[in-house]
Amino acid sequence: TGKKVVLDDAIFGIDANDHAMYLDVKRYLADQRQGTAKAKERSEMSGSTRKLKKQKGTGGARSGDINSPVMVGGARCFGPRPRDYRFKLNKKVKLLARKSALSCKAKDGQIIVVEDFEFKEPKTKNFVSLKNNLKISDKKSLLVLSIENKNVYLSSRNLDRSKITTASNLTTYDVLDAQSLVFTESAVEALNKIFENK
């Protein structure tokens, strides 16, 4: 439309803190891990506990039962156990990381702001034409809305390089993973309010 939107320098114009972004992305990826990997250790194996050979006089190393980790088919020594990979990150660090990521994208000119829109029905073709009009069809894009919109979400679900989120659910990982960020006008306002309140 030719209209211009002024982005808040306190959010989109700060000096990026690389370490804060690294920690927040690491935290996000750690949260995604199931942590269900499990290997059987010696005491959990089902196998005979008979001593395979006598202790001395064979000329070889002494050996115990067949469940020993040094035996083929034996247990695993110090194998993985179910665990929780999540770790805590301070709120201010997460806030700084998001601001840093948004500032990086703004500095690189990878942010587009569009007027609020809606799809009357879920159609992938509508979302493809939107990306074509914005000239980002060949890029991995992230569309940020102010509130959830079912039709827009369903229209983009079949596309590999397109993701939709809301301003309140925006993460550092999502921002850095996208090659092009598309905000609606109301999403920019919602983002400003979110950061003002923190």
Side-chain angles (χ1 to χ4, degrees), residues 59-91:
R62 55 193 170 181
S63 63
D65 59 45
I66 201 147
N67 301 326
S68 169
V70 298
M71 296 291 180
V72 174
R76 178 156 177 202
C77 196
F78 305 118
R81 290 177 172 274
R83 54 171 285 199
D84 186 358
Y85 285 92
R86 290 177 295 182
F87 64 92
K88 181 183 174 296
L89 203 60
N90 292 337
K91 284 182 182 178

Side-chain angles (χ1 to χ4, degrees), residues 5-83:
V5 175
V6 179
L7 299 176
D8 189 353
D9 281 344
I11 301 170
F12 295 91
I14 69 166
D15 291 330
N17 188 313
D18 292 341
H19 190 61
M21 289 192 286
Y22 159 75
L23 288 174
D24 200 23
V25 169
K26 185 180 177 184
R27 178 199 61 80
Y28 174 84
L29 293 174
D31 284 356
Q32 310 307 306
R33 296 186 70 170
Q34 283 186 311
T36 54
K38 174 74 175 74
K40 284 189 177 181
E41 296 195 356
R42 190 169 188 164
S43 62
E44 300 165 319
M45 293 288 291
S46 60
S48 173
T49 56
R50 176 181 68 88
K51 188 170 173 64
L52 294 175
K53 59 186 182 185
K54 61 182 184 177
Q55 180 84 343
K56 292 179 175 292
T58 62
R62 55 193 170 181
S63 63
D65 59 45
I66 201 147
N67 301 326
S68 169
V70 298
M71 296 291 180
V72 174
R76 178 156 177 202
C77 196
F78 305 118
R81 290 177 172 274
R83 54 171 285 199

